[in-house]
Amino acid sequence: MIMVVSEVDSDGGVRVASIVVVVPVRNEQRLLAGCLSALRDSAGEVTVPVRIQLVLDACTDRSARVADATGADVLHIDARNVGAARAAGFAAAGTGCGSRTWFATTDADSRVDRSWLTRQLRYARTGVGLVVGAVTVSDWDEHRPEVRDRYEDGYRAQRSTGHIHGASLGFRADLYWRAGGFAHLATGEDVDLVDRIRVGGAAVAWAEDVVAVTSGRRFGRAPQGFAAHLRGLQPSSETGNG
């Protein structure tokens, strides 16, 4: 495990009293149930209340039916924008959430591991205000073998300084609000937020042990998102949309 932590901020460690997890959803009827099952398993490992907030953004498939069957909190918007969806989810939790509330977010095509929340809370107790988790890819069936090799080589080389994933991210609520929350960006909303929280001086953990398994599909919901990154690792003759 590789983990880099910056200096602890002036607030020191906190004992978290509640957790809010936001999941943006855009036409994910096939993968959403697995995402929510994994989140419930992770929530079952912590001793504080966990609210799972789904934000269904302009869904035209059966994602709403899947969501309603799980008992999670569901918010419907029509923004077609992942940054706006994440922002709406945390806004539903309320700006009154302070340092004893932990915010986390993942993606509907991802499955967090059972210790995903437990380990974030452990970091919070050491004074960390921002946990940048890792991702692994669930399958590589849609890609050539060299794509996987290029991805994994690059990930190991750059992880401690550059890889930020909305699929595996957590932060103290007060730091989130202080930074201004998620911007309404169609791509890169996770990197933008992390940059602003870090500018505010929060202690950061680049946590290899906080893991989400995400889809390896060639075409995702966010333009220039993770799927586009994987396509960019393919031989140039195969990176088109055909």
Side-chain angles (χ1 to χ4, degrees):
M1 181 188 74
I2 301 171
M3 188 266 289
V4 178
V5 181
S6 69
E7 293 183 2
V8 175
D9 60 16
S10 59
D11 293 323
V14 298
R15 187 166 294 276
V16 171
S18 63
I19 300 171
V20 178
V21 183
V22 169
V23 185
V25 182
R26 177 80 187 279
N27 291 340
E28 295 286 6
Q29 65 178 29
R30 185 174 67 87
L31 299 175
L32 181 57
C35 169
L36 292 174
S37 177
L39 277 174
R40 288 194 298 270
D41 287 345
S42 187
E45 297 294 309
V46 300
T47 58
V48 300
V50 179
R51 171 179 173 178
I52 299 174
Q53 176 69 64
L54 305 182
V55 183
L56 274 62
D57 186 5
C59 290
T60 57
D61 66 351
R62 296 186 177 183
S63 292
R65 184 176 299 181
V66 175
D68 290 341
T70 68
D73 292 327
V74 180
L75 176 67
H76 294 265
I77 65 172
D78 189 21
R80 295 173 172 82
N81 181 292
V82 67
R86 292 196 208 274
F90 290 117
T95 57
C97 295
S99 63
R100 298 197 67 199
T101 299
W102 188 261
F103 282 171
T105 188
T106 188
D107 291 335
D109 68 334
S110 303
R111 290 176 286 109
V112 303
D113 72 16
R114 188 176 289 271
S115 60
W116 190 70
L117 290 174
T118 302
R119 288 174 174 162
Q120 292 187 53
L121 297 195
R122 288 176 183 167
Y123 284 115
R125 288 197 293 269
T126 69
V128 167
L130 170 64
V131 174
V132 183
V135 301
T136 60
V137 176
S138 59
D139 66 79
W140 295 94
D141 293 347
E142 297 185 26
H143 301 279
R144 296 270 300 271
E146 56 264 37
V147 173
R148 179 175 184 171
D149 293 340
R150 291 174 182 176
Y151 171 78
E152 292 180 347
D153 288 347
Y155 200 87
R156 284 191 294 268
Q158 301 174 22
R159 166 60 190 160
S160 65
T161 57
H163 285 288
I164 297 168
H165 310 280
S168 190
L169 196 60
F171 32 83
R172 278 200 343 242
D174 61 322
L175 300 178
Y176 174 81
W177 295 122
R178 193 183 304 167
F182 276 108
H184 292 194
L185 300 175
T187 301
E189 81 293 343
D190 43 6
V191 175
D192 173 72
L193 177 68
V194 167
D195 286 347
R196 284 184 282 114
I197 292 178
R198 293 178 70 189
V199 166
V204 182
W206 299 83
E208 296 294 313
D209 58 347
V210 177
V211 181
V213 179
T214 196
S215 167
R217 60 193 178 190
R218 282 170 56 90
F219 298 96
R221 305 296 182 255
Q224 305 307 312
F226 189 71
H229 171 66
L230 294 182
R231 291 200 309 276
L233 299 176
Q234 298 177 102
S236 58
S237 62
E238 300 180 17
T239 57
N241 294 336

